[in-house]
Amino acid sequence: MSARNSQTHADGEVITDASSLVEVVLGDASARRGPAKHYNPGDAQVSVESQGSFSRNPKDASKGLIACRDRYTAELINSDGDRIAVIKASFVAAFSVVREEDPDEAELEKFANSTGRLVIRPYAREFIQQLSTRMGIPAFLLEVLRFHGSVVEEDASEVSGAVSEVGT
């Protein structure tokens, strides 16, 4: 899978045009039940922290690897305001990239918050939903993400009862 969008480097090269998805892996994960006595869903919140890093291939200086890490924290509260559960998980999407220049921090951040997040989200969405179901609590659904220009937006209209994402 090749990533495509409009993240242009100063020399005109587009990072995503030079990158290909290598793998997506689940890093660490944890789930903890809260003190709630009943599971009638109330509020839910999800926070996501995205981070990108780059490393150069020591055997071929024209190649490198971009690692995008998303850390999710999902908290489900019941209608009385008591915590039902907290689920935490981190995912890493690795992209091979062929380009002469190393991306700067701004490029990595933009790539991680757009392409990286779009690639990781379906895995995070499925994992958190499955884990909440296996815990015997209401299914915890993340919204679907949409790409609009160079901005990643959530599409709550497609997912009934989905949680809202705060902080990036």
Side-chain angles (χ1 to χ4, degrees):
M1 173 182 173
S2 290
R4 303 276 182 236
N5 74 14
S6 60
Q7 297 167 10
T8 306
H9 189 265
D11 64 7
E13 184 178 15
V14 178
I15 294 175
T16 51
D17 285 346
S19 66
S20 296
L21 180 64
V22 176
E23 66 181 343
V24 177
V25 296
L26 171 64
D28 57 340
S30 66
R32 174 181 267 168
R33 284 185 184 262
K37 301 282 190 238
H38 68 82
Y39 297 148
N40 296 332
D43 292 332
Q45 291 193 356
V46 174
S47 63
V48 181
E49 296 176 23
S50 296
Q51 178 183 14
S53 62
F54 178 78
S55 59
R56 188 64 66 190
N57 183 334
K59 295 181 181 178
D60 185 347
S62 69
K63 296 180 181 176
L65 186 75
I66 295 176
C68 299
R69 175 183 300 270
D70 278 4
R71 291 182 179 91
Y72 283 81
T73 301
E75 183 174 21
L76 185 60
I77 307 295
N78 72 10
S79 57
D80 292 337
D82 296 326
R83 180 181 297 138
I84 296 173
V86 174
I87 299 172
K88 296 181 180 182
S90 67
F91 296 84
V92 176
F95 297 84
S96 65
V97 63
V98 178
R99 64 183 277 173
E100 299 300 321
E101 298 288 324
D102 288 2
D104 61 31
E105 290 299 317
E107 289 176 292
L108 286 172
E109 182 179 339
K110 186 174 181 182
F111 186 86
N113 283 306
S114 59
T115 304
R117 178 137 341 144
L118 284 170
V119 167
I120 291 171
R121 184 59 162 247
Y123 296 94
R125 187 172 193 263
E126 194 260 338
F127 179 80
I128 291 171
Q129 186 270 329
Q130 286 291 324
L131 190 54
S132 64
T133 302
R134 289 179 182 176
M135 291 176 71
I137 63 174
F140 202 106
L141 296 175
L142 299 178
E143 283 122 346
V144 175
L145 294 181
R146 298 280 184 237
F147 197 68
H148 298 283
S150 62
V151 178
V152 174
E153 296 176 352
E154 300 209 24
D155 187 356
S157 65
E158 289 205 7
V159 184
S160 174
V163 300
S164 61
E165 182 174 321
V166 294
T168 50

